[in-house]
Amino acid sequence: MLALSRGLFAASAALTLLFAAGCSSSDAGNAVAADTTTATSASTSAAPSTTDDVSGQEGIDAGGSTDIDVEIGQCVQLGGTMTAATIENAECGSMESNYKVIAKAEQNEQCPIDINQTYYETLDGVEQGALCLDVDWVVDGCMSVPTVGMDEPSRVDCGDPSATDVEQVTEIKTGTADPNECPEGGFAYESRQFVVCTTTIS
């Protein structure tokens, strides 16, 4: 029996809140969210630039097999539950896309330790393959990044008054994972040395 699962690594089990001043929470996690209430009304209907040039997202295909036909650098829409995941191909930067495939592995434990999420498939309890996933960040675009529960991030219009936990990407910096390099904080990827600078919309 084929089982579809999604799994959060211990290092990315929660999106950990850090402030630009450098304070940190005690929650486990590799992503750090900005803590500001500055609002803008930019729209994400167009996807001007994504993390295409981030060297930390150019992972390798280390084997394994999944039913979804997706390559490193392409994006997906991940949903469902931890034990009954759903996954579909999605155009990077689109409203449907919430994750980018940054590497493939035979087992999810072989993914980089600072990824946001994994998707893996098992057959009779034996893992067949895994996709290593980062949030599909888009510069100037907005993502709703839930801070509680198991909901997946989702792309939203920056001006949507009903959207919650919204972060707008202002810049992606490579060669550093220090959120203090960002004016208002960001989501840091420590082992791969890049930070997604954001401003909090809601």
Side-chain angles (χ1 to χ4, degrees):
M1 177 180 172
L2 184 68
L4 310 178
S5 302
R6 65 181 205 216
L8 290 171
F9 275 76
S12 56
L15 297 180
T16 304
L17 182 65
L18 286 186
F19 302 92
C23 299
S24 65
S25 84
S26 60
D27 293 342
N30 68 305
V32 289
D35 184 43
T36 175
T37 56
T38 304
T40 65
S41 59
S43 171
T44 60
S45 57
S49 61
T50 64
T51 52
D52 289 344
D53 297 326
V54 176
S55 61
Q57 291 190 318
E58 297 170 357
I60 61 169
D61 186 340
S65 175
T66 59
D67 282 347
I68 185 170
D69 183 18
V70 63
E71 299 301 324
I72 294 170
Q74 295 181 330
C75 294
V76 296
Q77 181 178 40
L78 182 68
T81 65
M82 291 292 286
T83 57
T86 61
I87 191 167
E88 295 179 15
N89 295 88
E91 181 180 346
C92 291
S94 69
M95 293 302 284
E96 293 75 29
S97 171
N98 58 356
Y99 288 104
K100 174 181 278 190
V101 179
I102 62 95
K104 294 182 178 182
E106 292 182 350
Q107 297 183 340
N108 70 82
E109 296 165 345
Q110 298 168 324
C111 288
I113 61 172
D114 62 350
I115 60 167
N116 295 122
Q117 183 66 282
T118 59
Y119 168 83
Y120 58 96
E121 297 178 357
T122 59
L123 181 63
D124 295 328
V126 178
E127 199 165 328
Q128 303 297 301
L131 302 178
C132 313
L133 307 171
D134 279 350
V135 172
D136 179 27
W137 301 111
V138 174
V139 175
D140 294 328
C142 287
M143 293 291 285
S144 173
V145 185
T147 55
V148 296
M150 298 301 292
D151 290 339
E152 299 296 343
S154 60
R155 194 169 318 283
V156 295
D157 188 292
C158 296
D160 183 350
S162 65
T164 59
D165 299 316
V166 178
E167 296 289 330
Q168 183 174 23
V169 179
T170 57
E171 184 180 3
I172 298 170
K173 293 178 176 277
T174 57
T176 181
D178 184 0
N180 291 311
E181 300 261 344
C182 301
E184 301 176 32
F187 291 83
Y189 296 79
E190 292 184 10
S191 71
R192 290 174 290 147
Q193 287 293 292
F194 70 95
V195 61
V196 178
C197 300
T198 62
T199 184
T200 299
I201 302 300
S202 65

